[in-house]
Amino acid sequence: MKRLLIPLLLLYSSWALPQTRADSLHLKYAEAKSDSVKVKILLQLFDHHLNTSPEKARETIFKSIQLAEQLRHPQLLIKTYNRYSDYLLGQSEYDSAITYYKKSLKLSDDQGYNQGKLHALNGLGNCHWSKGNNEKALTYQKMHMVLAEEINDQRQIANSQVLLAGIYSESGDYTKAMELFTLSSKKYKLLNDKIMYARMLSNIGFIQRRLENYENAISYFIQSDSIYQDLGDESGKAFVTHNLAVVFKNIGKLNDALDYNHRALKGYKQLGNKKRVAYAEYTMGEIYRKKDDLNQALMHYTEALRISGDVKDSVNMGYTYVAIGNAYKELNKTLEAKRNLQQALKVATSLNQELLAMEVYESLSKIYASEGEYEKAYQAKSNYSMVKDSFYTKEKRELASEIEGKYQNEQKAKEIALLSSQNNLQTLQIQKGINERNSLIVFALLIVLLAGLLYNQYRLKQRTNQELRELDRAKSNFFANISHEFRTPLTLIKGPVEQLEQNFDEKLSMENVKMIRRNANRLLNMVNQLLDLSKIDEGSLKLAPTEGDVYKCLRAATSSFNSHAAQRNIDYKVKIPQKVFWASFDRDKLENIVYNLLGNAFKFSGDGSQISFVANYDEYGLQIRVSDAGKGIAAEKLPFIFDRFYQVDSSNTREKGGSGIGLSLSKDLVELMDGTITVTSEVGKGTFFTVQLPIQEIKTRQNKIAEDVPEFGKEIVKKPFALTEADKRNLPSILLVEDNRDMRHFITERLIKFYKVTTAVNGEAGLKKAIADSPNLVITDLMMPKMDGIELCKKLKTQVHTSHIPVIMLTAKAGMDNKLEGLEIGADDYLTKPFDGKELLARVKNLIEQRQKLRALFSNKEIQIDPKKVTVTSIDQKFMEQVLALLEEYSAESDFGVSEMQKALAMSKTQLHRKLKALTNEAPGELLRNFRLKRAAQLLSQKADSVTQIAYKVGFNNLSYFAKCFKALYGVAPSSY
């Protein structure tokens, strides 16, 4: 009876104590006269019910919220909102938690209550992180960090650093994560917060584990575990044991891993932490998978997936899907494997999880290859390769170790500095006296005043330096652009003249003569604009007015764009009154304004669009309106378009070139004539310029109908040089990628006698043509719309289908940096404009002959296959090494053929044929046969075996066929070799 009584007493006491606490709080609530006191008691009851009765806890917190809302007591309401949100976060009810955190944030912001704002921002960051939305989590957490730093709350700064580190760690940015965990650990140590300091040590160990620095990871876990043991922190101990399980699993100690993981799983279940239970179940699956017990592994993976779904942990669900998919793949259940991997890819895409996506692509490529779906396999492998190199690099490990070392050095330096400062403080306290106080105050005031003056001087100097840097940058951009503008027309003038000089008996074609005149006028116009700018800066540019018909001048200026409009099928509308407007005006400057405005309109309008020019005269003077339906200008860039040297798009891929002085000069000329120029624009709809000039009509002449204006569209525009039909000559093919029409004509004319030439107007079109029909050589300009020459060359040299094609880059940028940039990304040669036509021909001939010599060298029956002799491009070398390794391994198998090569290399028949033909001048079947024959020749020369046995050893089943092929290659029968 006594044995039964003791447990009953213990049970009663465990129930009675909490019940007594609840009764006491209910009694206090009934006796409370103030509603604010009642809310505080309800919050205490809520804390009490959290562990005993979740339903009562939720009912109690709701009641406290209703009462606080009735009271309209802001700080009390903020407190109840935050407490309830924290509860919802713990229950994985993230959407509801976000709703109440936002209520708290708004109310705290209205009241200027910083602590409430900090709590809400931290909670919102935690909610979105738990949901897997790292982008929103980062946004809220950075807001939390800024506010914490503003009020200098060191604990909140440390809390923010912890969550930010967790987000960066989950996204794969271990460098930032390590840095933030290190910084927060220093703060917690100074705050004497042992539990948080231990957590930071655990997290640093976690990062070291992710970076595969397992010895360092174990060291940090053991340090943190000793603190958890002293503090009795079960959650921390479970975290350490789970991570140690992962470490031992990774280094192959599977029994130790199972033991630690069982302890972690038990600890997390006792704590009721479902999210961590899911992690431990996932790890259990990984351990059993390493033990080749796939059924047991799948059981644990499935349980991890179920629990992660319950707590809405999308990230862990994604990784679990991958693990299940890989397990099914090993069980040869490819349908189930692909289904789970596709689910993981959906999670990775929705959460922008690149690490997860990388694992999915790698697994899918292997499955597709095993099923013979080579296109899908190659695409998946390409996607995998794009993200692989950005993670787990040596630099990240070294930087993480550097940060850790820096932290340790800072800690020691800080301790020394602290001891020194304490000694100094004691000395100062002894020496300080009452009589010195006033002198110190005066001295401090003088220091503050001097510091203020110095700071003001520093600010002025910084502002001046910034302005000088911006001016220097603008000038540099201007000279780079103007040199590009000069070099292109110079090339197009110099080339035909040199051709005429070398072949004086041959006349230049009319098209070349017009091209010279057109580009000479272009140069003259640019020089005149530069002279006008110089005169404006000096203040020496003056008006030179003469009497004349303003409308007639405008008709003449606008009609010069008629042929350009007809050529590009642009709806060019000119509305100028059909009468005489006699006035005194500067014809040259008015024409310059019109040419610049219309030139810009045509430059930035697409073919087939609309351009309008309208002029009229009223009481305020002459008004000119120029509009286009081009791509428009963004609102934030509109105020700067009249600035000297400014360009809306200054990249190498802008649609049209320019120096950035046309609109600036127009504005200066308009102001010189006491007029105004304004602009409005909308992106996607076009730009509208309005010029108002105070020109007064002279009434001394009678108005009459203006002379007939040449009818629009009558001028015949000669099309540039083009081949009217497909070039069927048996010559090497060249792809020319150049956006300037005259330059395309000039280069094509030089090459067409010796090569088949196809053209493309920008890098994007050029890349498509190179992939569709592999040329023998590519010539590309550097600055082009949509895709510049640098990007085109990079894509050609990094794709296995085009990496063997030599590339010559043309540019007007003559600097060594530009040349090095082109060569470093794989360009085979580099020509600076203006260039000589003979030099271009020589370089093209040399590069094509080099490739032909390499193929001839490779085809030589006496030379062993060596991938380093095939090409200088690393991707081609790697490809050939892969091919040769494949031949070395499988050529002796008689059933190994071209289809097996395709499968192993994950390439289609056409891709493999085109690539090997370009590199070796041999088709895949021919390459395999010759490889076997060369191996047979080696064995025969060494008298390794009989002819029959050697034929079988190198993969031939038919002896007569072997003898026939051998004699065709070496000129003698195998037995006589």
Side-chain angles (χ1 to χ4, degrees):
M1 188 67 182
K2 289 182 181 179
R3 291 180 183 177
L4 181 62
L5 184 61
I6 292 171
L8 284 173
L9 287 171
L10 289 173
L11 179 64
Y12 173 77
S13 61
S14 64
W15 170 83
L17 286 174
Q19 190 63 31
T20 304
R21 170 67 175 162
D23 291 341
S24 173
L25 289 171
H26 279 297
L27 184 61
K28 286 183 180 179
Y29 179 80
E31 293 174 351
K33 296 179 181 179
S34 167
D35 286 340
S36 61
V37 173
K38 288 183 177 181
V39 172
K40 292 176 182 177
I41 294 171
L42 286 172
L43 289 176
Q44 292 178 32
L45 270 171
F46 167 71
D47 291 338
H48 170 74
H49 289 315
L50 272 178
N51 297 320
T52 58
S53 176
E55 290 181 2
K56 285 185 179 180
R58 191 182 289 266
E59 181 183 336
T60 305
I61 194 69
F62 266 132
K63 192 172 181 180
S64 67
I65 289 173
Q66 290 172 352
L67 192 55
E69 287 176 341
Q70 290 173 6
L71 277 172
R72 296 183 180 179
H73 190 303
Q75 289 201 4
L76 203 54
L77 190 55
I78 291 166
K79 187 176 182 181
T80 55
Y81 281 157
N82 282 335
R83 291 287 287 281
Y84 185 46
S85 303
D86 293 343
Y87 168 72
L88 292 170
L89 175 60
Q91 296 298 313
S92 302
E93 297 178 32
Y94 303 125
D95 293 331
S96 299
I98 288 170
T99 301
Y100 279 94
Y101 276 131
K102 284 185 175 179
K103 285 184 178 182
S104 170
L105 181 62
K106 185 178 184 305
L107 192 56
S108 300
D109 197 34
D110 292 341
Q111 296 296 316
Y113 181 41
N114 288 330
Q115 290 302 322
K117 285 169 67 177
L118 286 169
H119 192 109
L121 287 169
N122 193 56
L124 285 165
N126 255 309
C127 285
H128 286 295
W129 182 33
S130 300
K131 287 182 70 176
N133 192 336
N134 288 349
E135 188 175 347
K136 281 192 176 180
L138 274 173
T139 302
Y140 282 114
Q141 211 53 45
K142 285 178 180 178
M143 290 166 64
H144 179 276
M145 175 72 83
V146 169
L147 181 58
E149 288 176 342
E150 281 180 5
I151 64 175
N152 196 27
D153 189 329
Q154 294 299 313
R155 181 170 291 279
Q156 290 293 344
I157 291 171
N159 293 344
S160 193
Q161 288 170 339
V162 172
L163 189 56
L164 281 170
I167 296 168
Y168 285 127
S169 172
E170 202 165 87
S171 302
D173 195 340
Y174 299 127
T175 303
K176 286 185 179 178
M178 175 71 84
E179 184 175 2
L180 288 167
F181 280 138
T182 303
L183 290 171
S184 59
S185 69
K186 291 194 291 183
K187 284 185 169 55
Y188 287 128
K189 192 170 186 180
L190 287 172
L191 292 167
N192 199 27
D193 190 335
K194 292 182 179 180
I195 190 68
M196 289 306 295
Y197 177 67
R199 283 192 179 7
M200 295 311 99
L201 292 177
S202 299
N203 284 326
I204 294 171
F206 174 80
I207 299 297
Q208 295 286 359
R209 192 206 88 193
R210 280 294 181 92
L211 293 172
E212 300 180 6
N213 298 330
Y214 296 128
E215 289 186 8
N216 289 343
I218 293 171
S219 172
Y220 277 106
F221 287 140
I222 291 172
Q223 288 180 59
S224 60
D225 190 53
S226 65
I227 300 174
Y228 292 140
Q229 295 288 351
D230 291 343
L231 298 174
D233 185 348
E234 298 299 325
S235 175
K237 288 193 284 186
F239 181 83
V240 168
T241 52
H242 177 242
N243 274 278
L244 285 171
V246 175
V247 170
F248 286 125
K249 184 261 295 182
N250 290 346
I251 62 178
K253 296 183 177 180
L254 300 182
N255 290 330
D256 290 339
L258 268 179
D259 179 50
Y260 275 105
N261 203 60
H262 275 302
R263 287 158 58 188
L265 189 58
K266 181 180 178 182
Y268 283 137
K269 284 181 178 178
Q270 288 175 348
L271 291 166
N273 191 333
K274 290 184 177 181
K275 186 173 181 179
R276 293 291 176 181
V277 169
Y279 290 170
E281 289 285 1
Y282 173 86
T283 304
M284 198 69 79
E286 291 286 276
I287 296 169
Y288 278 112
R289 188 171 157 211
K290 273 207 165 188
K291 281 176 163 283
D292 294 327
D293 190 345
L294 294 177
N295 291 323
Q296 189 74 8
L298 278 170
M299 183 184 74
H300 287 288
Y301 286 145
T302 305
E303 181 65 10
L305 185 63
R306 183 190 67 77
I307 299 171
S308 297
D310 290 343
V311 298
K312 300 175 183 177
D313 186 354
S314 301
V315 174
N316 199 48
M317 286 176 69
Y319 281 104
T320 308
Y321 275 128
V322 173
I324 293 172
N326 287 330
Y328 277 123
K329 176 169 70 74
E330 291 174 25
L331 289 168
N332 294 322
K333 296 182 179 180
T334 55
L335 187 62
E336 287 294 318
K338 285 192 286 187
R339 184 176 64 79
N340 281 279
L341 288 170
Q342 291 295 342
Q343 287 292 330
L345 190 58
K346 286 181 183 178
V347 174
T349 305
S350 64
L351 302 180
N352 197 24
Q353 285 280 337
E354 290 182 332
L355 276 171
L356 176 57
M358 185 179 77
E359 291 191 24
V360 175
Y361 286 132
E362 184 178 27
S363 297
L364 282 173
S365 69
K366 293 177 181 177
I367 293 174
Y368 286 137
S370 68
E371 292 181 333
E373 298 185 44
Y374 305 121
E375 289 289 343
K376 289 184 179 179
Y378 178 73
Q379 186 59 47
K381 196 70 175 177
S382 299
N383 292 336
Y384 164 77
S385 299
M386 286 172 66
V387 291
K388 180 182 176 184
D389 292 339
S390 61
F391 300 106
Y392 305 112
T393 60
K394 179 182 177 183
E395 288 79 9
K396 285 185 177 178
R397 297 187 188 183
E398 290 176 351
L399 187 54
S401 300
E402 181 184 335
I403 293 168
E404 181 193 348
K406 182 180 177 183
Y407 165 58
Q408 299 293 344
N409 291 335
E410 284 181 357
Q411 286 292 95
K412 292 177 181 178
K414 195 165 185 180
E415 289 171 3
I416 294 169
L418 185 61
L419 289 172
S420 177
S421 64
Q422 287 174 348
N423 291 333
N424 291 336
L425 183 62
Q426 290 174 357
T427 305
L428 286 171
Q429 286 174 342
I430 293 169
Q431 292 176 351
K432 187 172 64 174
I434 298 172
N435 296 332
E436 296 176 356
R437 184 177 56 192
N438 293 335
S439 59
L440 286 172
I441 292 172
V442 172
F443 180 71
L445 288 172
L446 289 172
I447 291 295
V448 169
L449 180 62
L450 181 61
L453 291 171
L454 290 173
Y455 179 70
N456 187 50
Q457 188 69 22
Y458 170 76
R459 287 287 301 275
L460 288 172
K461 186 176 180 181
Q462 287 292 98
R463 191 178 306 149
T464 304
N465 289 340
Q466 181 65 23
E467 290 172 356
L468 287 172
R469 280 194 296 269
E470 289 176 359
L471 180 61
D472 185 59
R473 192 182 305 114
K475 286 182 178 180
S476 297
N477 289 338
F478 165 71
F479 285 118
N481 291 330
I482 203 70
S483 67
H484 184 272
E485 292 292 305
F486 277 138
R487 284 175 179 273
T488 297
L490 280 171
T491 300
L492 297 170
I493 294 169
K494 183 172 176 282
V497 171
E498 287 177 348
Q499 184 184 3
L500 181 62
E501 182 184 17
Q502 292 158 7
N503 304 286
F504 193 72
D505 295 335
E506 294 182 11
K507 292 184 178 180
L508 287 177
S509 66
M510 183 56 67
E511 178 64 25
N512 279 335
V513 172
K514 287 182 178 180
M515 183 174 72
I516 291 172
R517 185 188 65 186
R518 189 162 55 246
N519 285 281
N521 289 337
R522 183 177 168 192
L523 276 175
L524 181 61
N525 182 51
M526 286 191 286
V527 170
N528 287 337
Q529 284 191 348
L530 289 172
L531 290 174
D532 286 344
L533 282 176
S534 176
K535 289 178 181 178
I536 288 170
D537 289 340
E538 293 173 2
S540 60
L541 186 65
K542 306 294 181 185
L543 291 176
T546 57
E547 288 190 14
D549 186 354
V550 177
Y551 287 154
K552 184 178 179 180
C553 172
L554 293 178
R555 289 190 199 98
T558 54
S559 66
S560 62
F561 290 87
N562 286 350
S563 62
H564 189 44
Q567 186 181 23
R568 294 176 57 192
N569 196 27
I570 290 176
D571 184 7
Y572 178 40
K573 296 178 180 178
V574 178
K575 293 182 181 179
I576 301 172
Q578 296 294 315
K579 62 181 181 181
V580 174
F581 173 23
W582 199 263
S584 177
F585 67 100
D586 191 324
R587 175 183 293 271
D588 288 339
K589 292 174 180 57
L590 181 61
E591 285 180 347
N592 205 331
I593 293 167
V594 172
Y595 287 146
N596 273 320
L597 293 179
L598 282 174
N600 262 340
F602 276 91
K603 186 184 294 183
F604 296 106
S605 294
D607 294 351
S609 61
Q610 292 182 345
I611 294 175
S612 169
F613 181 94
V614 179
N616 64 286
Y617 176 72
D618 55 22
E619 58 183 313
Y620 301 106
L622 176 67
Q623 187 180 72
I624 296 171
R625 296 190 296 274
V626 179
S627 63
D628 63 63
K631 61 183 181 181
I633 304 169
E636 67 272 12
K637 297 181 178 180
L638 207 57
F640 308 105
I641 65 169
F642 293 115
D643 290 353
R644 186 81 55 87
F645 314 137
Y646 179 78
Q647 289 181 308
V648 174
D649 182 5
S650 58
S651 68
N652 284 350
T653 58
R654 60 180 183 269
E655 291 288 342
K656 303 292 178 182
S659 57
I661 62 175
L663 288 178
S664 172
L665 178 60
S666 298
K667 184 173 185 292
D668 290 336
L669 293 176
V670 168
E671 290 176 349
L672 186 66
M673 299 167 74
D674 294 325
T676 59
I677 181 170
T678 56
V679 59
T680 58
S681 184
E682 189 173 347
V683 175
K685 292 188 177 180
T687 306
F688 189 91
F689 286 92
T690 302
V691 177
Q692 189 78 40
L693 298 172
I695 297 175
Q696 296 300 315
E697 185 177 11
I698 299 174
K699 300 290 187 178
T700 56
R701 291 173 57 95
Q702 276 201 331
N703 289 347
K704 62 179 180 180
I705 301 299
E707 296 125 347
D708 292 337
V709 179
E711 189 175 349
F712 173 76
K714 289 294 184 182
E715 183 180 346
I716 298 173
V717 180
K718 185 172 180 181
K719 292 183 179 179
F721 175 86
L723 291 173
T724 56
E725 59 182 23
D727 192 344
K728 296 181 179 179
R729 296 174 297 166
N730 186 21
L731 294 173
S733 60
I734 292 176
L735 173 61
L736 171 61
V737 189
E738 168 64 64
D739 60 322
N740 186 287
R741 185 186 59 170
D742 287 340
M743 186 63 76
R744 284 201 304 275
H745 166 77
F746 170 68
I747 295 174
T748 303
E749 195 176 55
R750 295 294 173 280
L751 300 174
I752 198 66
K753 293 179 183 178
F754 311 104
Y755 305 100
K756 291 191 293 185
V757 181
T758 55
T759 61
V761 296
N762 57 56
E764 194 175 274
L767 181 62
K768 289 178 181 176
K769 287 191 176 184
I771 293 173
D773 188 10
S774 181
N776 292 94
L777 183 135
V778 171
I779 300 173
T780 178
D781 191 19
L782 190 145
M783 295 177 68
M784 293 181 295
K786 295 186 179 178
M787 182 189 292
D788 63 14
I790 295 290
E791 185 65 20
L792 172 62
C793 186
K794 186 183 295 182
K795 287 185 179 293
L796 288 173
K797 292 299 185 180
T798 54
Q799 291 191 22
V800 72
H801 311 115
T802 57
S803 57
H804 59 277
I805 302 172
V807 177
I808 295 178
M809 193 168 290
L810 308 177
T811 183
K813 291 186 173 182
M816 182 56 70
D817 291 342
N818 303 111
K819 185 175 291 189
L820 287 173
E821 184 181 11
L823 295 172
E824 283 173 358
I825 55 93
D828 297 83
D829 213 335
Y830 200 99
L831 271 178
T832 304
K833 299 176 186 176
F835 54 82
D836 186 271
K838 282 187 174 180
E839 183 182 5
L840 176 63
L841 275 171
R843 297 199 184 204
V844 168
K845 182 182 177 185
N846 286 341
L847 281 175
I848 291 177
E849 285 182 352
Q850 283 175 15
R851 289 302 188 274
Q852 290 171 343
K853 287 176 182 176
L854 285 172
R855 292 194 194 104
L857 178 67
F858 186 81
S859 302
N860 190 334
K861 64 186 179 182
E862 298 300 331
I863 297 175
Q864 293 302 311
I865 304 170
D866 185 354
K868 296 180 181 62
K869 295 179 182 177
V870 178
T871 178
V872 294
T873 308
S874 61
I875 194 169
D876 291 340
Q877 183 175 322
K878 288 177 183 176
F879 173 74
M880 283 306 301
E881 286 172 349
Q882 191 177 359
V883 170
L884 294 177
L886 194 65
L887 294 180
E888 287 283 357
E889 186 174 357
Y890 296 108
S891 63
E893 298 178 10
S894 59
D895 57 351
F896 180 77
V898 175
S899 59
E900 284 72 26
M901 288 177 69
Q902 296 169 29
K903 183 177 178 181
L905 296 169
M907 296 178 76
S908 68
K909 183 178 180 181
T910 305
Q911 290 170 346
L912 182 62
H913 179 86
R914 187 182 295 166
K915 187 70 180 177
L916 286 176
K917 195 72 176 173
L919 289 174
T920 68
N921 206 27
E922 291 182 342
E926 188 180 359
L927 178 70
L928 175 60
R929 185 178 66 246
N930 288 345
F931 185 91
R932 285 168 165 164
L933 292 171
K934 289 176 183 178
R935 178 54 53 82
Q938 287 178 343
L939 295 173
L940 287 168
S941 65
Q942 296 167 8
K943 298 181 180 180
D945 212 330
S946 66
V947 173
T948 302
Q949 291 303 317
I950 287 173
Y952 288 135
K953 280 182 181 180
V954 296
F956 282 90
N957 283 335
N958 190 321
L959 295 178
S960 60
Y961 178 66
F962 167 69
K964 178 183 176 182
C965 293
F966 192 93
K967 188 171 183 179
L969 182 64
Y970 289 99
V972 295
S975 57
S976 304
Y977 182 75

